[in-house]
Amino acid sequence: ELKVEQNPLFLSMQEGKNYTIYCNYSTTSDRLYWYRQDPGKSLESLFVLLSNGAVKQEGRLMASLDTKARLSTLHITAAVHDLSATYFCAVDSNNDMRFGAGTRLTVKP
Amino acid sequence: GAVVSQHPSRVICKSGTSVKIECRSLDFQATTMFWYRQFPKQSLMLMATSNEGSKATYEQGVEKDKFLINHASLTLSTLTVTSAHPEDSSFYICSARRDRAYGYTFGSGTRLTVV
């Protein structure tokens, strides 16, 4: 059974700081997704990572995928308050997509 | 783009009644759609996979007679919560995939409150 572990679950950081969210998964997959969810809202797609070594960047967020280590990271650079949200990774293996528990990020002034 | 429309966004119903939630892919055809349930401050849990023209595939522990899924066309899947009870109150989200490389697009979600 595909399992996805995400950490940390809670992250409180100051504006301007850097931090990384980790996503480990248990079975072979080369498709990993990162989503953002604001309170009361649905999921917004951030990144689709399709191959080993894939790196994508959008603004202050950068995601990478290491399929050999079964690990993806979401790196936050110089955080700003607008990045406060819950971030989920999700892994797609043979049309079975499972979500991590989510990381609730709070960026404080 | 790939847009998925979900309606209604909020619904309040009385215990014992049924509620239908619609999920439409607006600019692409989706042979497969997915229904998730999310409790407050928790992750998304897959309830079922909706397949166009065939029966849905339900996850273990999800009552198929309570959560009826119909995927009658390539652009529409519906989830009906039958005989709803307060414990069914939750945030229900659908998703569809335009193609494997594009990834999944999520509907805006439906907040169901059973009173």
Side-chain angles (χ1 to χ4, degrees):
Chain A
E1 180 187 346
L2 173 59
K3 293 185 179 180
V4 181
E5 292 188 357
Q6 190 175 336
N7 67 84
L9 299 182
F10 299 93
L11 178 56
S12 180
M13 53 191 300
Q14 286 191 309
E15 282 191 328
K17 298 293 186 181
N18 305 332
Y19 208 84
T20 300
I21 300 171
Y22 298 88
C23 178
N24 292 90
Y25 53 98
S26 61
T27 63
T28 301
S29 171
D30 59 359
R31 282 165 173 77
L32 188 138
Y33 311 93
W34 283 96
Y35 295 95
R36 168 181 172 146
Q37 187 179 36
D38 291 295
K41 304 293 185 181
S42 187
L43 275 68
E44 173 191 353
S45 179
L46 295 176
F47 300 108
V48 179
L49 302 171
L50 299 176
S51 61
N52 186 41
V55 177
K56 290 192 175 180
Q57 183 166 3
E58 182 71 35
R60 301 175 187 273
L61 301 178
M62 183 174 71
S64 66
L65 177 61
D66 181 343
T67 59
K68 293 181 181 179
R70 298 178 183 171
L71 169 69
S72 178
T73 61
L74 179 66
H75 187 72
I76 303 158
T77 302
V80 293
H81 179 70
D82 286 351
L83 290 180
S84 297
T86 299
Y87 294 85
F88 291 97
C89 65
V91 178
D92 185 358
S93 178
N94 295 323
N95 290 326
D96 181 12
M97 188 164 83
R98 302 287 166 169
F99 283 82
T103 297
R104 182 169 297 180
L105 171 65
T106 303
V107 182
K108 299 180 178 180
Chain B
V3 180
V4 174
S5 175
Q6 185 174 344
H7 292 281
S9 57
R10 290 180 180 272
V11 58
I12 301 173
C13 71
K14 290 185 177 181
S15 188
T17 62
S18 296
V19 173
K20 180 185 284 187
I21 303 170
E22 291 189 349
C23 181
R24 295 180 184 271
S25 56
L26 297 186
D27 52 358
F28 66 101
Q29 294 183 333
T31 55
T32 304
M33 293 185 176
F34 305 87
W35 288 97
Y36 295 85
R37 181 173 183 173
Q38 186 181 33
F39 290 108
K41 300 182 180 180
Q42 294 188 21
S43 187
L44 278 72
M45 298 299 296
L46 179 65
M47 298 176 64
T49 302
S50 172
N51 304 299
E52 187 268 334
S54 65
K55 293 182 179 180
T57 304
Y58 290 82
E59 294 297 301
Q60 191 173 8
V62 177
E63 300 176 59
K64 60 181 66 176
D65 293 332
K66 180 169 187 61
F67 298 100
L68 301 179
I69 291 174
N70 184 278
H71 195 152
S73 76
L74 286 171
T75 59
L76 174 64
S77 175
T78 60
L79 168 67
T80 301
V81 182
T82 63
S83 187
H85 291 284
E87 56 265 30
D88 298 324
S89 299
S90 187
F91 193 49
Y92 293 86
I93 308 175
C94 69
S95 77
R97 186 175 61 191
R98 192 180 74 180
D99 57 57
R100 196 159 170 78
Y102 195 88
Y104 296 81
T105 302
F106 286 82
S108 56
T110 298
R111 174 84 51 199
L112 171 63
T113 303
V114 184
V115 297

